[in-house]
Amino acid sequence: MCLFSSFYPDEIKESAYVIDYEALFDKGYRGIIYDIDNTLVMHGYPADERAIALMETLKQIGFKVTLLSNNKEGRVKMFNDAVNVNYIFKADKPMKKGYLKAMDIMDTDASTTVFIGDQLFTDVWGAKRCGIKNILVKPIDPHEEIQIVLKRKLEAIVLFFYYRRKKYTKLKDR
């Protein structure tokens, strides 16, 4: 087992906007937990038309949605005012408590919940610690604060081994 495997995402997608949500619903998932910044919109931005439309689509499919952010309430509420879902601020990701609270709010459990976010060491790791299916998406904006840029360099190392393992597994399965 690789040292980095506890940070490996279950899936990687180009964007939160290209995920087949109906397929997830058909597989039995009923709750989606989202990070906001660089997952749904650029860092600090309000919900845009694309984010609003996605949340409406998810509600029509039958999903319950909760935003899980390490940001202060003002930032999270500003985004949520346009999308009108559940939210948790100052979540202390990757600590388990925010993820567990989100599932409690949505009345789901780890087997019926998906987490979608753009960072391995907060979003993905926290979801994995709770047994939640997780999808890593590429960050919307490559221009980030210095502490995030440094984390991205470490994430690149983890993803190198993730892709190497994935390639090896494919070859082994032939």
Side-chain angles (χ1 to χ4, degrees):
M1 180 185 231
C2 177
L3 171 70
F4 299 125
S5 62
S6 60
F7 301 108
Y8 289 171
D10 294 331
E11 290 183 41
I12 297 178
K13 296 290 184 184
E14 192 67 31
S15 161
Y17 298 100
V18 300
I19 295 169
D20 186 345
Y21 292 102
E22 289 183 0
L24 288 173
F25 194 84
D26 290 345
K27 289 179 182 174
Y29 295 100
R30 296 298 180 261
I32 301 177
I33 305 170
Y34 280 102
D35 174 54
I36 300 170
D37 289 325
N38 255 345
T39 298
L40 294 170
V41 293
M42 289 180 18
H43 186 80
Y45 277 57
D48 57 17
E49 289 180 17
R50 191 167 65 157
I52 294 167
L54 174 60
M55 295 303 138
E56 286 306 312
T57 298
L58 294 173
K59 292 173 192 176
Q60 289 172 4
I61 292 171
F63 280 109
K64 295 175 184 170
V65 178
T66 300
L67 306 171
L68 186 67
S69 176
N70 286 346
N71 278 303
K72 294 178 182 174
E73 185 173 22
R75 191 301 179 247
V76 181
K77 184 179 181 324
M78 181 252 301
F79 181 90
N80 191 60
D81 283 347
V83 297
N84 195 29
V85 295
N86 303 300
Y87 69 89
I88 299 168
F89 61 96
K90 289 188 179 180
D92 292 325
K93 294 180 291 182
M95 304 304 288
K96 291 181 179 182
K97 68 178 183 170
Y99 297 85
L100 298 173
K101 183 176 178 182
M103 288 187 289
D104 188 49
I105 289 169
M106 296 184 297
D107 196 28
T108 60
D109 60 34
S111 69
T112 59
T113 304
V114 177
F115 183 92
I116 300 168
D118 69 301
Q119 293 189 48
L120 289 178
F121 301 131
T122 52
D123 300 331
V124 169
W125 189 34
K128 287 183 78 79
R129 294 177 71 217
C130 294
I132 299 170
K133 176 182 177 62
N134 56 83
I135 301 173
L136 178 69
V137 296
K138 295 184 179 177
I140 292 173
D141 184 10
H143 304 98
E144 299 175 297
E145 297 171 350
I146 188 66
Q147 72 272 17
I148 306 272
V149 170
L150 295 173
K151 277 201 279 185
R152 297 284 186 211
K153 296 209 181 284
L154 294 172
E155 286 180 352
I157 295 167
V158 173
L159 290 172
F160 168 81
F161 287 101
Y162 167 82
Y163 285 118
R164 191 169 103 180
R165 178 176 160 219
K166 203 170 173 182
K167 182 178 178 182
Y168 173 76
T169 304
K170 278 185 183 177
L171 292 173
K172 190 175 143 188
D173 289 343
R174 287 185 181 174

Coordinates of all heavy atoms in Angstrom, one line a residue, residues 50-102:
R50 N -24.2 29.3 -13.8 CA -23.9 27.9 -13.9 C -24.1 27.1 -12.6 O -24.7 26.1 -12.6 CB -22.5 27.7 -14.4 CG -22.1 26.4 -14.9 CD -20.8 26.4 -15.6 NE -19.7 26.8 -14.8 CZ -18.4 26.4 -15.0 NH1 -18.1 25.7 -16.1 NH2 -17.5 26.8 -14.2
A51 N -23.7 27.7 -11.5 CA -23.8 27.1 -10.2 C -25.3 27.0 -9.8 O -25.8 26.0 -9.3 CB -23.0 27.9 -9.1
I52 N -26.0 28.1 -10.1 CA -27.4 28.2 -9.7 C -28.2 27.1 -10.5 O -29.0 26.4 -10.0 CB -28.0 29.6 -10.0 CG1 -27.4 30.6 -9.1 CG2 -29.5 29.6 -9.9 CD1 -27.6 32.0 -9.4
A53 N -27.9 27.0 -11.8 CA -28.6 26.0 -12.7 C -28.2 24.6 -12.2 O -29.1 23.7 -12.2 CB -28.2 26.2 -14.1
L54 N -27.0 24.3 -11.8 CA -26.6 23.0 -11.3 C -27.4 22.6 -10.1 O -27.9 21.5 -10.0 CB -25.1 22.9 -11.0 CG -24.6 21.6 -10.4 CD1 -24.9 20.4 -11.3 CD2 -23.1 21.7 -10.1
M55 N -27.5 23.5 -9.1 CA -28.2 23.2 -7.9 C -29.7 23.0 -8.2 O -30.3 22.1 -7.6 CB -28.1 24.4 -6.9 CG -26.7 24.6 -6.4 SD -26.0 23.1 -5.6 CE -24.3 23.2 -6.3
E56 N -30.3 23.7 -9.1 CA -31.7 23.5 -9.5 C -31.8 22.1 -10.1 O -32.8 21.4 -9.8 CB -32.2 24.6 -10.4 CG -32.5 25.9 -9.7 CD -33.4 25.7 -8.5 OE1 -34.5 25.1 -8.6 OE2 -33.1 26.3 -7.4
T57 N -30.9 21.7 -11.0 CA -31.0 20.4 -11.6 C -30.9 19.3 -10.6 O -31.6 18.3 -10.6 CB -29.8 20.3 -12.7 OG1 -30.0 21.3 -13.7 CG2 -29.8 18.9 -13.3
L58 N -29.9 19.5 -9.6 CA -29.8 18.5 -8.6 C -31.0 18.3 -7.7 O -31.4 17.2 -7.4 CB -28.6 18.8 -7.7 CG -27.2 18.8 -8.4 CD1 -26.1 19.3 -7.4 CD2 -26.9 17.4 -8.8
K59 N -31.7 19.4 -7.4 CA -32.9 19.3 -6.7 C -34.0 18.6 -7.5 O -34.7 17.8 -6.9 CB -33.4 20.7 -6.3 CG -32.5 21.4 -5.3 CD -32.9 22.9 -5.1 CE -31.9 23.7 -4.3 NZ -32.3 25.1 -4.2
Q60 N -34.1 18.9 -8.8 CA -35.1 18.2 -9.6 C -34.8 16.7 -9.7 O -35.7 15.9 -9.7 CB -35.1 18.8 -11.0 CG -35.6 20.2 -11.1 CD -35.5 20.9 -12.4 OE1 -35.0 20.3 -13.3 NE2 -35.9 22.2 -12.5
I61 N -33.5 16.3 -9.7 CA -33.2 14.9 -9.8 C -33.6 14.2 -8.5 O -34.1 13.1 -8.5 CB -31.7 14.7 -10.0 CG1 -31.3 15.1 -11.4 CG2 -31.3 13.2 -9.8 CD1 -29.8 15.2 -11.7
G62 N -33.5 15.0 -7.4 CA -33.9 14.4 -6.1 C -32.8 14.4 -5.0 O -33.0 13.9 -4.0
F63 N -31.7 15.1 -5.4 CA -30.6 15.2 -4.4 C -30.8 16.2 -3.3 O -31.5 17.2 -3.6 CB -29.3 15.6 -5.1 CG -28.6 14.4 -5.8 CD1 -28.6 14.4 -7.2 CD2 -28.0 13.4 -5.1 CE1 -28.0 13.4 -7.9 CE2 -27.3 12.4 -5.8 CZ -27.3 12.4 -7.2
K64 N -30.3 15.9 -2.2 CA -30.2 16.9 -1.1 C -28.7 17.4 -1.2 O -27.8 16.6 -1.5 CB -30.4 16.3 0.2 CG -31.9 15.9 0.4 CD -32.1 15.2 1.7 CE -33.5 14.6 1.8 NZ -33.7 13.7 3.0
V65 N -28.5 18.7 -1.0 CA -27.1 19.3 -1.2 C -26.8 20.1 0.0 O -27.6 20.8 0.6 CB -27.1 20.2 -2.5 CG1 -25.7 20.8 -2.6 CG2 -27.5 19.4 -3.7
T66 N -25.5 19.9 0.4 CA -24.9 20.7 1.5 C -23.6 21.3 1.0 O -22.8 20.5 0.5 CB -24.8 19.9 2.8 OG1 -26.0 19.5 3.2 CG2 -24.2 20.8 3.9
L67 N -23.4 22.6 1.3 CA -22.1 23.2 1.0 C -21.3 23.0 2.3 O -21.8 23.3 3.4 CB -22.3 24.7 0.7 CG -23.2 25.0 -0.5 CD1 -23.5 26.5 -0.6 CD2 -22.7 24.4 -1.8
L68 N -20.0 22.6 2.1 CA -19.1 22.4 3.3 C -17.9 23.2 3.0 O -17.1 22.9 2.1 CB -18.8 20.9 3.5 CG -18.0 20.5 4.7 CD1 -18.8 20.7 6.0 CD2 -17.6 19.1 4.6
S69 N -17.7 24.3 3.8 CA -16.6 25.2 3.6 C -15.8 25.5 4.9 O -16.4 25.6 5.9 CB -17.1 26.5 3.0 OG -16.1 27.4 2.8
N70 N -14.5 25.7 4.7 CA -13.7 26.2 5.8 C -13.8 27.7 6.0 O -13.2 28.3 6.9 CB -12.3 25.8 5.6 CG -12.1 24.3 5.9 OD1 -12.9 23.6 6.5 ND2 -10.9 23.8 5.5
N71 N -14.5 28.4 5.1 CA -14.6 29.8 5.1 C -15.6 30.3 6.2 O -16.3 29.5 6.8 CB -15.2 30.3 3.8 CG -14.1 30.5 2.7 OD1 -13.1 31.2 3.0 ND2 -14.3 29.8 1.6
K72 N -15.5 31.6 6.5 CA -16.4 32.2 7.5 C -17.9 32.2 6.9 O -18.1 32.1 5.7 CB -16.0 33.6 7.8 CG -14.6 33.6 8.5 CD -14.2 35.0 8.8 CE -12.8 35.0 9.4 NZ -12.2 36.3 9.6
E73 N -18.8 32.4 7.8 CA -20.2 32.4 7.4 C -20.6 33.4 6.3 O -21.3 33.1 5.4 CB -21.2 32.5 8.6 CG -22.6 32.4 8.2 CD -23.6 32.4 9.3 OE1 -23.3 32.9 10.4 OE2 -24.7 31.8 9.1
G74 N -20.0 34.6 6.4 CA -20.4 35.6 5.4 C -20.1 35.2 4.0 O -20.9 35.4 3.1
R75 N -19.0 34.5 3.8 CA -18.6 34.1 2.4 C -19.6 33.0 2.0 O -20.1 33.0 0.9 CB -17.2 33.6 2.4 CG -16.5 33.3 1.1 CD -17.2 32.3 0.3 NE -16.7 32.0 -1.0 CZ -17.4 32.2 -2.1 NH1 -18.5 32.9 -2.2 NH2 -17.0 31.7 -3.3
V76 N -19.8 32.0 2.8 CA -20.6 30.8 2.5 C -22.1 31.3 2.3 O -22.7 30.9 1.3 CB -20.5 29.7 3.5 CG1 -21.3 28.5 3.2 CG2 -19.0 29.3 3.7
K77 N -22.6 32.1 3.2 CA -24.0 32.6 3.1 C -24.2 33.4 1.8 O -25.2 33.2 1.1 CB -24.3 33.4 4.3 CG -25.8 33.9 4.3 CD -26.1 34.6 5.5 CE -27.6 35.1 5.6 NZ -28.2 35.5 4.4
M78 N -23.2 34.2 1.4 CA -23.3 35.0 0.2 C -23.5 34.1 -1.0 O -24.3 34.3 -1.9 CB -22.0 35.8 0.0 CG -22.0 36.7 -1.2 SD -20.9 36.2 -2.5 CE -19.3 36.2 -1.8
F79 N -22.7 33.0 -1.1 CA -22.9 32.0 -2.2 C -24.2 31.3 -2.1 O -24.9 31.2 -3.0 CB -21.7 31.0 -2.1 CG -21.8 30.0 -3.2 CD1 -21.2 30.3 -4.4 CD2 -22.5 28.8 -3.1 CE1 -21.2 29.3 -5.5 CE2 -22.6 27.9 -4.1 CZ -21.9 28.2 -5.3
N80 N -24.6 30.9 -0.9 CA -25.8 30.1 -0.7 C -27.1 30.9 -0.9 O -28.1 30.3 -1.3 CB -25.8 29.5 0.7 CG -26.9 28.5 0.8 OD1 -27.0 27.5 0.1 ND2 -27.9 28.7 1.7
D81 N -27.0 32.2 -0.7 CA -28.2 33.0 -0.9 C -28.8 32.8 -2.3 O -30.0 32.9 -2.5 CB -27.9 34.5 -0.7 CG -27.9 34.8 0.8 OD1 -28.3 34.0 1.6 OD2 -27.4 35.9 1.1
A82 N -27.9 32.5 -3.3 CA -28.4 32.4 -4.7 C -28.8 30.9 -5.0 O -29.6 30.7 -5.9 CB -27.3 32.8 -5.6
V83 N -28.2 29.9 -4.3 CA -28.5 28.5 -4.6 C -29.5 27.9 -3.7 O -30.0 26.8 -4.0 CB -27.2 27.7 -4.7 CG1 -26.3 28.2 -5.8 CG2 -26.4 27.6 -3.4
N84 N -29.6 28.4 -2.5 CA -30.6 28.0 -1.5 C -30.5 26.5 -1.2 O -31.5 25.7 -1.4 CB -32.0 28.3 -2.0 CG -33.0 28.2 -0.8 OD1 -32.7 28.4 0.3 ND2 -34.2 28.0 -1.2
V85 N -29.4 26.0 -0.7 CA -29.2 24.7 -0.2 C -28.7 24.8 1.3 O -28.7 25.8 1.9 CB -28.2 23.9 -1.1 CG1 -28.7 23.7 -2.5 CG2 -26.8 24.5 -1.1
N86 N -28.4 23.6 1.9 CA -27.8 23.6 3.2 C -26.4 24.1 3.2 O -25.7 23.9 2.2 CB -27.9 22.2 3.8 CG -29.3 21.7 3.8 OD1 -30.2 22.3 4.4 ND2 -29.5 20.6 3.2
Y87 N -25.9 24.6 4.3 CA -24.5 24.9 4.3 C -23.9 24.9 5.7 O -24.6 25.0 6.7 CB -24.2 26.3 3.7 CG -24.7 27.5 4.5 CD1 -23.8 28.1 5.4 CD2 -25.9 28.1 4.2 CE1 -24.3 29.2 6.2 CE2 -26.3 29.2 4.9 CZ -25.5 29.8 5.9 OH -25.9 30.9 6.6
I88 N -22.6 24.6 5.7 CA -21.8 24.5 7.0 C -20.6 25.4 6.7 O -19.9 25.1 5.7 CB -21.4 23.1 7.3 CG1 -22.7 22.2 7.6 CG2 -20.5 23.1 8.6 CD1 -22.4 20.7 7.6
F89 N -20.3 26.3 7.6 CA -19.1 27.2 7.5 C -18.1 26.8 8.6 O -18.5 26.1 9.5 CB -19.5 28.7 7.5 CG -20.2 29.1 8.8 CD1 -19.4 29.6 9.8 CD2 -21.5 28.9 9.0 CE1 -20.0 30.0 11.0 CE2 -22.2 29.2 10.2 CZ -21.4 29.8 11.2
K90 N -16.9 27.3 8.4 CA -15.9 26.9 9.4 C -15.9 25.4 9.7 O -15.9 25.0 10.9 CB -16.0 27.7 10.7 CG -15.6 29.2 10.5 CD -15.6 29.9 11.9 CE -15.2 31.3 11.7 NZ -15.1 32.0 13.0
A91 N -15.9 24.6 8.6 CA -16.1 23.2 8.8 C -14.9 22.4 9.3 O -15.0 21.3 9.6 CB -16.5 22.6 7.4
D92 N -13.7 23.1 9.3 CA -12.5 22.5 9.7 C -12.1 21.2 9.0 O -11.6 20.2 9.5 CB -12.5 22.1 11.2 CG -12.5 23.4 12.1 OD1 -11.9 24.4 11.7 OD2 -13.2 23.3 13.2
K93 N -12.4 21.2 7.6 CA -12.0 20.1 6.8 C -10.4 20.0 6.9 O -9.8 21.0 6.9 CB -12.4 20.3 5.3 CG -13.8 20.4 5.1 CD -14.2 20.6 3.6 CE -13.8 22.0 3.2 NZ -14.1 22.3 1.8
P94 N -9.9 18.8 7.0 CA -10.4 17.5 6.8 C -11.0 16.8 8.0 O -11.2 15.6 8.0 CB -9.2 16.7 6.3 CG -8.1 17.3 7.1 CD -8.4 18.8 7.2
M95 N -11.3 17.5 9.1 CA -11.8 16.9 10.3 C -13.2 16.3 9.9 O -13.9 16.8 9.1 CB -12.0 17.9 11.4 CG -10.7 18.6 11.8 SD -9.3 17.4 12.2 CE -9.9 16.8 13.8
K96 N -13.6 15.2 10.6 CA -14.8 14.5 10.2 C -16.1 15.2 10.6 O -17.1 15.0 9.9 CB -14.8 13.1 11.0 CG -13.8 12.1 10.5 CD -14.0 10.9 11.4 CE -13.0 9.8 11.0 NZ -13.2 8.6 11.7
K97 N -16.1 16.1 11.6 CA -17.3 16.6 12.1 C -18.2 17.3 11.1 O -19.4 17.2 11.1 CB -17.0 17.5 13.3 CG -16.3 18.8 13.0 CD -16.2 19.7 14.2 CE -15.5 21.0 13.7 NZ -15.5 22.0 14.8
G98 N -17.6 18.1 10.2 CA -18.4 18.8 9.2 C -19.1 17.8 8.2 O -20.2 18.0 7.8
Y99 N -18.3 16.8 7.8 CA -18.9 15.8 6.9 C -20.0 15.1 7.5 O -21.1 14.8 6.9 CB -17.8 14.8 6.5 CG -16.7 15.4 5.7 CD1 -15.6 16.0 6.4 CD2 -16.6 15.4 4.3 CE1 -14.5 16.6 5.7 CE2 -15.6 16.0 3.6 CZ -14.5 16.6 4.3 OH -13.5 17.1 3.6
L100 N -19.8 14.7 8.8 CA -20.9 14.0 9.5 C -22.1 14.8 9.7 O -23.2 14.4 9.6 CB -20.3 13.5 10.9 CG -19.2 12.5 10.8 CD1 -18.6 12.2 12.2 CD2 -19.6 11.2 10.1
K101 N -21.9 16.1 10.1 CA -23.0 17.0 10.2 C -23.8 17.2 8.9 O -25.0 17.2 8.9 CB -22.5 18.4 10.7 CG -23.6 19.4 11.0 CD -23.0 20.7 11.6 CE -24.1 21.7 11.9 NZ -23.6 23.0 12.4
A102 N -23.0 17.3 7.8 CA -23.7 17.4 6.5 C -24.6 16.2 6.2 O -25.7 16.4 5.8 CB -22.6 17.6 5.4

